[in-house]
Amino acid sequence: VDVVDRSISDPAVRQALHCKIGSLLQEQHGLPGERSYEVFHHLARGGRLRSAVKNGLNAARRLARSFSIEKAILVLDELLGVLDVSEDQLTHLQVLREKTSYCVWLREYERAQECIQQLLSEGGPELDPPLRVELQIGESEIYRLAGEPHRALKIQSKCY
């Protein structure tokens, strides 16, 4: 891939090539497929973000199931980098929720807390009230797991 990027100087041609490669890989391997990350990579660089998102989420889930949770988080970070929050807020929030759960599995509580805070702030006032409460309860649970029960109780008190 890096060879292609370095050897083709025209961005439009490079984007079209990534799109074509991603489409062909997706046709050959389907969704979900073992090569979801490759499909995600090419479709994202080819500008087909809708298809790229599905493949990126699938790649992260496949990695997490195979106990490569760190790699799954890296894929989700890459996916967050290509998503435009203003265009697809629900997908962005879904990716952040998955990243939060993977961080908790790894006991990276500070990182999980950052994800929850980002979820709550990006959701804004239009965030569905039951989802907001669910996220706040999740945040309190993260604080409890991190050994900060007093903060957990404080957050829980705001939920009710």
Side-chain angles (χ1 to χ4, degrees), residues 14-51:
R14 197 170 42 237
Q15 184 177 17
L17 186 59
H18 276 297
C19 189
K20 183 70 174 169
I21 292 169
S23 296
L24 289 172
L25 284 170
Q26 191 169 17
E27 281 178 29
Q28 288 176 347
H29 301 284
L31 181 71
E34 289 182 18
R35 298 181 74 182
S36 293
Y37 178 76
E38 288 176 77
V39 175
F40 159 69
H41 172 83
H42 288 294
L43 291 178
R45 279 152 186 77
R48 289 192 41 210
L49 295 181
R50 281 276 163 235
S51 297

